Amino acid sequence: MLYLRFTLAGARFGVPAAAVTAVVPWVALAPLPHAPAGVCGVLNYHGQSVPVLDLQQLVQRTPCAPAYGTRIILVSGVTSGLLGLLAETVLDTFRPDSDFIPSGLPQPDAPYLDGVMFTADGMVQQINLAGLLPATLQTTLAATGA
Amino acid sequence: MSARDRRPALFFRLLQAGLLMLLPVLAFWLAGVWYFGARQQQANTLVRCADRITIAMLEARRAEKDFLLRDAAAAEFRRSGISDNLTAHQRWCDKLLAAVAELGAQLPATEQGRAAQLETSVRAYAARFAELAGTYRTAGTTSTAAGTAWLQVRQGLAAAVRARRQPALTQAAEALQQAADAWRQQADSAAVALVLTRLAVLERTAADSIGTSPLAAPVAAWRTTFTALQETSGQLRDANSGVQGAMRAAIHDVETQLARMDEVREAADATGAAANRQLLLAMGGVLVAGLLLGVVISMLTARSLVRPLAALQQAVTALGSGQLGARAAVPVVREYALLAEGMNAMAEALAGLVRRIQRAGVQVTSSATQITAAARQLQTSVGEQTATTAQVGASVAEISATTQQLAGTIAHAAAAADASAGIAGHSVSDIAALTGSMRQLLTSTANLGGRFSLLSAKAQGIGSVVTTIAKVADQTNLLSLNAAIEAEKAGEAGLGFAVVAREIRRLADQSAIATADIEELIREMQGAVVGGVTGMDAFTHEVRVQADAVAAFGSKLEELIRQVQAVAPLLATVTASVQSQAAAAQQINVAMTQLGDTAQNSSLAATSLTEVATHLLDASRELQGEVARFRAE
């Protein structure tokens, strides 16, 4: 399975490529006032308004650094439409031999962090798209967005 | 009544006593002198007569001897009968007789006969002498005649002998002549015998050699003449000796008489001496009596003189021992009264004097003490002065030395100023060159800055290009990523596409790496350029600053040169003033030396003053001690 690799807070993370629609550069986002924490704006993708989530904000409470590698990953299946995930060093894919295994440390505050994988380059953590958004945020996004 | 009015009894008393003592002595002395003088005169006369007699006798005898020695045998006397010695003898005999007559007059009557006898003897002597002289005369006359005849005979014999010319004869004749001459000298029997012997020899020789006839007559004549001569001389000699004997007898008689005269005189002297002794005894006795009288009188007089003196003596002793109040009672005798009054006045004056001396002594002692103290003070102050002078002299010497040093230093400074001016002059030109080169440097630096900015612009251009390339790489990467995702979604149909996408991604990554490197390089280059520019700016700023500093320095240097050049006259002024200071110091030194000498003199004077004051003090103390003996009332 092909995974897309990116960096958050200095650690490597990966999402399955099957869930990724496209990777777009970090363009200027339309700001969303009174947005919950982590939502940094709305992206216009081919006429669709896609909310963008800053993953680094979620994980580390710091925004992503502006760099060439900082791109928005458009994923589907989390909300009704697409969801943009802003992450750093979105530059490469990898096809690991094994699968994510549970980390052994359940984190009730961050349900999206629940898998690790050991590769030749080091440890890669999983972003569980399902647990990414809390229910409230999901509904809010559903209400506003798609 | 006062002393002057009293009688001068003392004087008269002394006169009286003196005269009383003196007169007998004087009288006796005069009498003695007269008597002894007469006696002495008499004795002198006697002695003189006796001496005259003796002298006359001696002279007569001398004349007689002279006559006998010289004139008796002299041909002159024999011829003329005149002789100086004869006349002298006659004169002396006359004197002798006169002296005898005088002596006879001096002698007393009992001794007159002796004088007459002496006179007779003297006359006899004179007569005998005249007789002797006469015999000599006749002897002389006869012997002259005889001698002439003999001479003729001798000459005849000699001629006869000579005529024969026989050496033996001549020799015998010479021998005979010699014997004849010897007989003439000393007509004694030996000489006669010799003559006769020689004559016999001559006869024999003549008989032996030439026969008897030619020489017989001369020889016989010679013999007879000689014999006659011998007889005549013998007769004369006898007559002479007879008369001489008589004369000697007369002389002996005279001398006997003279000796008797001496005896007589001595006897007279003895009696006279005895008489003198008696007289002396008498005189002595009277003299002693007179002396005793004189002693008694003088004792009485002395007592009368001394008694009043005792009181005076007491007063004087008291005065001498210090009791200035002692006074003598004024005695009656005028002289002593005068003395006593005088002594009292003197005591009074002495008392007053001693009182005044005591007062003065006290004052002198205090004054001397004060003088001594003042002299000591003077000594110390002079010593201080000397010390101070020495200090000042030392200070002046220091000043002189310092001034010398200063002059030397100033000379050095002047030389240094000149050197500095020279160096500064060089420096000014150097600085001008330096400023010029610095301005050149500035322009060069400006050029360099321009080139740097050019470089920077170029680098920026490269940077923009690289940025474009980076964007392209980024887009390419994005595209490959999306392609990979789509290929994954396509499944197996997209495998080739995935490979392509992977390759594209690799290319993009390489580009990105290259652009990153290029960016890095560009950043570095730009950093270097910026650094260079900054450095260049800083350098330019620095150079400008330095140029300004150099210009300022140059102007300062010119000012310095001006100052230094202005220094030289100042130094000259300073040198002049230093020299004048040195001269002044020298003058001070001289003045100090003089002052030192003056202080030395003052010190000596102070020392001598101290000594004098000490002496004065001692003398005043001594005076006070002496005066303390006197107890003035």
Coordinates of all heavy atoms in Angstrom, one line a residue, chain B residues 517-546:
Chain B
D517 N 21.4 23.9 -3.2 CA 22.8 24.2 -3.1 C 23.1 25.5 -3.7 O 23.9 26.3 -3.2 CB 23.6 23.1 -3.9 CG 23.6 21.8 -3.1 OD1 23.4 21.8 -1.9 OD2 23.9 20.7 -3.7
I518 N 22.5 25.8 -4.9 CA 22.8 27.0 -5.6 C 22.3 28.2 -4.7 O 23.1 29.2 -4.6 CB 22.1 27.1 -7.0 CG1 22.7 26.1 -7.9 CG2 22.2 28.5 -7.6 CD1 21.9 25.9 -9.2
E519 N 21.2 28.0 -4.1 CA 20.7 29.1 -3.2 C 21.7 29.3 -2.1 O 22.0 30.5 -1.7 CB 19.3 28.7 -2.7 CG 18.2 29.2 -3.6 CD 16.8 29.0 -3.0 OE1 16.8 28.2 -2.0 OE2 15.9 29.5 -3.5
E520 N 22.2 28.2 -1.6 CA 23.2 28.3 -0.5 C 24.4 29.0 -1.0 O 24.8 30.0 -0.3 CB 23.6 26.9 0.0 CG 24.4 26.8 1.2 CD 23.6 27.3 2.4 OE1 22.4 27.1 2.5 OE2 24.2 28.0 3.3
L521 N 24.8 28.6 -2.2 CA 26.0 29.3 -2.7 C 25.7 30.8 -2.9 O 26.6 31.6 -2.6 CB 26.4 28.7 -4.0 CG 27.2 27.4 -3.9 CD1 27.3 26.7 -5.3 CD2 28.5 27.6 -3.3
I522 N 24.5 31.0 -3.5 CA 24.2 32.4 -3.8 C 24.1 33.2 -2.5 O 24.6 34.3 -2.4 CB 22.9 32.5 -4.5 CG1 23.1 32.1 -6.0 CG2 22.3 33.9 -4.5 CD1 21.9 31.9 -6.8
R523 N 23.5 32.5 -1.5 CA 23.5 33.2 -0.2 C 24.8 33.5 0.4 O 25.1 34.6 0.9 CB 22.7 32.3 0.8 CG 21.5 33.0 1.4 CD 20.9 32.3 2.6 NE 20.9 30.9 2.5 CZ 20.0 30.1 1.8 NH1 19.0 30.7 1.2 NH2 20.1 28.8 1.8
E524 N 25.7 32.4 0.2 CA 27.0 32.7 0.7 C 27.7 33.8 0.0 O 28.4 34.7 0.6 CB 27.8 31.4 0.6 CG 27.5 30.3 1.7 CD 28.3 29.1 1.4 OE1 29.2 29.0 0.5 OE2 28.1 28.1 2.2
M525 N 27.5 33.7 -1.4 CA 28.1 34.7 -2.2 C 27.6 36.1 -1.8 O 28.4 37.1 -1.7 CB 27.8 34.4 -3.7 CG 28.8 35.2 -4.6 SD 28.7 34.5 -6.3 CE 27.1 34.9 -6.8
Q526 N 26.3 36.2 -1.7 CA 25.7 37.4 -1.4 C 26.2 37.9 0.0 O 26.4 39.0 0.3 CB 24.2 37.3 -1.4 CG 23.7 37.5 -2.8 CD 22.3 37.9 -2.9 OE1 21.5 37.5 -2.1 NE2 22.0 38.8 -3.8
G527 N 26.2 36.8 0.9 CA 26.8 37.1 2.2 C 28.2 37.7 2.1 O 28.5 38.7 2.8
A528 N 29.0 37.0 1.3 CA 30.4 37.5 1.1 C 30.4 38.9 0.5 O 31.2 39.7 0.9 CB 31.1 36.5 0.2
V529 N 29.5 39.0 -0.5 CA 29.5 40.4 -1.1 C 29.1 41.4 -0.1 O 29.7 42.5 0.0 CB 28.5 40.3 -2.3 CG1 28.2 41.8 -2.7 CG2 29.2 39.6 -3.5
V530 N 28.0 41.0 0.6 CA 27.5 42.0 1.6 C 28.7 42.3 2.6 O 28.9 43.4 3.0 CB 26.3 41.4 2.3 CG1 26.0 42.2 3.6 CG2 25.1 41.5 1.4
G531 N 29.3 41.1 3.0 CA 30.4 41.3 3.9 C 31.5 42.1 3.3 O 32.0 43.0 4.0
G532 N 31.8 41.8 2.0 CA 32.8 42.6 1.4 C 32.4 44.1 1.3 O 33.2 45.0 1.5
V533 N 31.1 44.3 0.9 CA 30.6 45.7 0.8 C 30.7 46.3 2.1 O 31.2 47.5 2.3 CB 29.2 45.7 0.2 CG1 28.6 47.1 0.4 CG2 29.2 45.3 -1.3
T534 N 30.2 45.6 3.1 CA 30.2 46.1 4.5 C 31.7 46.5 4.9 O 32.0 47.5 5.4 CB 29.7 45.1 5.5 OG1 28.4 44.6 5.0 CG2 29.4 45.8 6.8
G535 N 32.5 45.4 4.6 CA 33.9 45.6 4.9 C 34.4 46.8 4.1 O 35.2 47.6 4.6
M536 N 34.1 46.9 2.8 CA 34.5 47.9 2.0 C 34.0 49.3 2.5 O 34.8 50.3 2.6 CB 34.0 47.7 0.5 CG 34.8 48.5 -0.5 SD 36.6 48.2 -0.4 CE 36.6 46.5 -0.6
D537 N 32.8 49.3 2.9 CA 32.2 50.5 3.5 C 33.0 50.9 4.7 O 33.4 52.0 4.9 CB 30.7 50.3 3.8 CG 29.9 50.3 2.6 OD1 30.4 50.8 1.5 OD2 28.7 49.9 2.6
A538 N 33.1 49.8 5.5 CA 33.9 50.1 6.8 C 35.3 50.6 6.4 O 35.8 51.5 7.1 CB 33.9 48.8 7.6
F539 N 35.9 49.9 5.4 CA 37.3 50.2 5.0 C 37.3 51.6 4.5 O 38.2 52.4 4.9 CB 37.8 49.2 4.0 CG 39.1 49.5 3.5 CD1 40.2 49.4 4.4 CD2 39.3 50.0 2.2 CE1 41.5 49.7 3.9 CE2 40.6 50.2 1.8 CZ 41.7 50.1 2.6
T540 N 36.3 51.9 3.7 CA 36.2 53.3 3.1 C 36.1 54.3 4.2 O 36.8 55.3 4.2 CB 35.1 53.4 2.1 OG1 35.1 52.4 1.2 CG2 35.1 54.8 1.4
H541 N 35.1 54.0 5.1 CA 34.9 54.9 6.2 C 36.2 55.1 7.0 O 36.6 56.2 7.3 CB 33.8 54.3 7.1 CG 33.6 55.1 8.3 ND1 32.9 56.3 8.3 CD2 33.9 54.9 9.6 CE1 32.9 56.8 9.5 NE2 33.4 56.0 10.3
E542 N 36.8 53.9 7.2 CA 38.0 53.9 8.0 C 39.1 54.8 7.3 O 39.8 55.6 7.9 CB 38.6 52.5 8.2 CG 39.6 52.3 9.3 CD 39.1 52.7 10.6 OE1 37.9 52.4 10.9 OE2 39.9 53.4 11.4
V543 N 39.2 54.5 5.9 CA 40.2 55.2 5.2 C 39.9 56.7 5.2 O 40.8 57.5 5.3 CB 40.3 54.7 3.7 CG1 41.0 55.7 2.8 CG2 40.9 53.3 3.7
R544 N 38.6 57.0 5.0 CA 38.3 58.4 5.0 C 38.6 59.0 6.4 O 39.2 60.1 6.5 CB 36.8 58.6 4.8 CG 36.4 60.0 4.4 CD 35.0 60.2 3.8 NE 35.0 59.6 2.5 CZ 34.1 58.6 2.1 NH1 33.3 58.0 3.0 NH2 34.1 58.1 0.9
V545 N 38.2 58.3 7.4 CA 38.5 58.7 8.7 C 40.0 58.9 8.9 O 40.5 60.0 9.4 CB 38.0 57.7 9.8 CG1 38.7 58.0 11.2 CG2 36.5 57.9 9.9
Q546 N 40.8 57.9 8.4 CA 42.2 58.0 8.5 C 42.8 59.1 7.7 O 43.7 59.8 8.1 CB 42.9 56.7 8.0 CG 42.6 55.5 8.9 CD 43.1 55.7 10.3 OE1 44.1 56.4 10.6 NE2 42.3 55.2 11.3

